[in-house]
Each structure stands twice: as C-alpha cells, then as structure tokens.
Amino acid sequence: MIPVASRYVLRRNLFGYDINKKGTPQGTVKVPESLGIVVGIVFLVLGILFQYFNFTADSNWLVEYNAALASICFMVLLGFVDDVLDVPWRVKLLLPSIAALPLLMAYAGHTTIIIPKPLIPYVGLEVLDLGWMYKLYMGLLTVFCTNSINIHAGLNGLEVGQTVVIASAILIHNIMQIGASADSEYKMAHAFSLYLVQPLLATSLALFTYNWYPSSAFVGDTYTYFAGMTMAVAGILGHFSETLLIFFVPQVLNFLLSLPQLAGIVPCPRHRLPRFDPGTGLLTGTNDGTLVNFFLRRFGKMTEKSICICLLVFQAIACCFCFVLRFFLAGWYK
C-alpha cells in the first residue's frame, strides 16, 4: 500500500525535501510525507480482525484490548492532523494525553506497585496501592513514549529503525516472561502485549524498506506518535513499564539533552538537524541538544547512513543492557 499511498499524498502536496541532502540532486526530490498513516491503518485492521480469532465475547481482556486500539487509533488521527496542520510544540505535548483517555478510562487492572526488596524496611510495605496516581503515571508514560520517538529523529530510517529495535526487544521480553512464569494472569498480560507488538514490528519492517537511506518515503508525526503509543500501551497493559523505560534509554538521553531547548532556556530552531556538507557528503554536529548531534560532536563527521547505523546499534546495546540488568537483579531487586 505504501507506493499507492505515496502517489495520493504527493497529489495533495504532502511532501518534503530531504534537508540532509540539501545542495545535491537528491535534495530537490519531492519525498512523500505522512506514510505512517498506511502503517497505522493496516495495524488497526489486523488488530480488529484478530479479536474474532482470539477473544471470546465474555473475555475480561476484551474491553482493555478495544480501549488500547481506540487510543492507538486516536493517536494515528492526531498524528495525521499534526502532519497536515503543523501544530506547535506545546500542543504536541498534549496530543498523547488526549489519545490515552480511552485506555485510562477503561483500565480496570491493578493500581499497585511492588516495592523493591532493598526499600521494604524503609517503606514498611511490600505492595503499595497508588490509586489514581497510577493512572496519572500511565498517562505520563504515553506522553513520554510518543514524544521521545518523535524528537529522536531527523535521519533516514532512524524513527522506524528505533521502533523496530525496541519492538523486537519487547517481543523477546514477552516470550521469555511467558516461558518463565506459571501464573496464568501474568502470562496473559505478556501475551496481550505480544498481540500489539507483533503487528507493529511487521508493519514497521515494511515501512523501513522505504524509509531507509536514501529514503523514498517520510513517516511523519503520524508514525512516530502511533509507534510510541503502541509500545507504551504494550508496556502498560503488559505490566513491565520499568523494563520499557530501560529499553528507551537512548530516548531518555535525547530528551535530557533536548530539555534546555524544549523548555525555552536555549533558543530552539525549527529543525535541530546536523549540518550537511554537499561537497563531502558528511554531516557535522551542531550545538543543538540532540543525541544525533552529540554523537557527531563526540565521534566526528559521518555520512547520514553511518550515524543512523551507530544510533541503532546504541539502541540495541541499551536493550541488551536491560536484559542483562534484569538477569542480575532477579530475586534481589523484586
């Protein structure tokens, strides 16, 4: 569907120029934008049809599954609205909060957290019920996941590539937990997460073939919001939000580097991209607070393809670190 949709969006003047190729023939090519809408639609169709084969009418998980799909659908819509209307940053921060409402209102699971064993003597409790604060935490997590994917961008293949790496890590984590547990409810929570992550990974791999360097399709905010929301929902309803945040370590670092500009303390340009030299084809890091620029300042000039590969390898290392950390902390931390 991607080539077909590309023709339609170009007809409606939804295209962009690749800024990292400015000054070269490739920099003058009109690249179709907002192709994340195709991935979102295919994902939702598969997700809806999957209910027929997996859930019974009286299933306890059916309400939350539909709420999850409603939140993801809402996020795809708002992401496409952002692509078309180009809303300001302060509004972008609110969009995931609105999209998460169906999930928050329908959530009927536990609102408790297990206190880490080293802290139990100080807290005096093994399990703490957070009540409405847990739902607030869920909302904040969706806001972070969606926007963190959105701002860790600017290179061909980076947005989709990081999603593929994180979704693969979530997939492996869920399979490991299902195999290691005898608790049916715990296994069902991770299976529920699998139901969302499998189609996300499959559709993202299809988009990745078009978005990889040199990109013939731009994903737009539609995709970054959709991917972030889907992974946030998978982590929340799978009850492994702590693990999810460790998978997101590069995005956390990028957010911390971006904070001075996002908060208005330091001037923030519209595009916080590295500087491209058409003569050498290399990117040079600027003083903007992004992980892309930090890597280029730290490791020197690189081609767009090379810096993207470095960042995706870093993402994979962060996910592997999470698995190692869970292995060593098992039984001691919780």
Side-chain angles (χ1 to χ4, degrees):
M1 286 180 64
I2 292 172
V4 177
S6 295
R7 293 195 294 271
Y8 277 95
V9 296
L10 283 173
R11 200 180 301 166
R12 302 304 301 171
N13 290 324
L14 280 172
F15 63 84
Y17 296 105
D18 200 327
I19 298 174
N20 287 331
K21 298 177 183 64
K22 193 174 181 180
T24 68
Q26 284 181 313
T28 60
V29 176
K30 293 180 179 179
V31 183
E33 286 259 26
S34 309
L35 269 299
I37 190 74
V38 176
V39 173
I41 290 170
V42 173
F43 174 94
L44 288 166
V45 170
L46 287 171
I48 293 165
L49 291 175
F50 179 72
Q51 295 180 70
Y52 179 78
F53 299 99
N54 189 69
F55 295 107
T56 57
D58 59 345
S59 173
N60 294 330
W61 288 90
L62 191 56
V63 173
E64 290 187 359
Y65 185 78
N66 279 315
L69 291 181
S71 288
I72 294 166
C73 182
F74 211 166
M75 197 70 261
V76 171
L77 170 65
L78 293 175
F80 192 68
V81 167
D82 184 16
D83 281 334
V84 174
L85 301 181
D86 195 19
V87 298
W89 266 105
R90 60 183 178 275
V91 178
K92 288 186 182 188
L93 290 172
L94 292 174
L95 294 180
S97 308
I98 299 168
L101 286 176
L103 176 66
L104 298 179
M105 294 302 103
Y107 182 75
H110 66 73
T111 56
T112 57
I113 58 170
I114 300 171
I115 303 297
K117 289 179 181 178
L119 299 179
I120 289 174
Y122 304 100
V123 179
L125 295 169
E126 291 186 4
V127 177
L128 178 64
D129 190 353
L130 295 178
W132 64 269
M133 290 181 66
Y134 190 86
K135 289 195 173 185
L136 176 64
Y137 164 71
M138 287 167 58
L140 292 174
L141 185 63
T142 58
V143 171
F144 170 76
C145 288
T146 49
N147 283 293
S148 65
I149 296 286
N150 193 35
I151 64 174
H152 187 35
L155 303 175
N156 289 174
L158 182 57
E159 299 98 319
V160 189
Q162 62 185 302
T163 301
V164 167
V165 174
I166 298 171
S168 300
I170 294 173
L171 195 73
I172 294 166
H173 172 69
N174 283 324
I175 292 169
M176 289 171 64
Q177 295 305 307
I178 290 170
S181 176
D183 186 340
S184 60
E185 190 72 13
Y186 183 80
K187 291 170 79 168
M188 186 58 201
H190 282 283
F192 188 95
S193 177
L194 269 177
Y195 302 154
L196 296 173
V197 170
Q198 279 181 319
L200 171 67
L201 179 58
T203 51
S204 295
L205 283 170
L207 183 58
F208 190 59
T209 61
Y210 289 91
N211 187 238
W212 183 242
Y213 182 93
S215 178
S216 59
F218 288 157
V219 299
D221 291 343
T222 310
Y223 177 79
T224 56
Y225 285 156
F226 153 72
M229 177 61 79
T230 305
M231 290 188 287
V233 168
I236 289 167
L237 297 180
H239 305 305
F240 57 92
S241 54
E242 289 176 347
T243 302
L244 182 69
L245 283 173
I246 302 175
F247 288 152
F248 271 77
V249 161
Q251 286 71 25
V252 173
L253 293 175
N254 185 65
F255 172 72
L256 294 174
L257 288 168
S258 303
L259 206 52
Q261 288 185 315
L262 296 179
I265 300 169
V266 177
C268 182
R270 174 174 168 76
H271 297 293
R272 301 184 303 152
L273 297 173
R275 192 166 49 253
F276 176 68
D277 183 354
T280 61
L282 300 177
L283 295 175
T284 306
T286 64
N287 290 324
D288 290 318
T290 65
L291 200 59
V292 174
N293 285 310
F294 176 80
F295 264 62
L296 288 169
R297 291 196 302 267
R298 180 70 182 80
F299 301 111
K301 299 178 181 180
M302 294 187 207
T303 62
E304 184 177 2
K305 187 176 182 179
S306 298
I307 183 63
C308 188
I309 290 171
C310 287
L311 289 166
L312 294 182
V313 168
F314 179 57
Q315 186 79 59
I317 291 169
C319 293
C320 291
F321 170 73
C322 179
F323 287 119
V324 172
L325 196 64
R326 282 186 61 90
F327 175 78
F328 283 108
L329 294 183
W332 174 80
Y333 182 67
K334 282 189 178 179

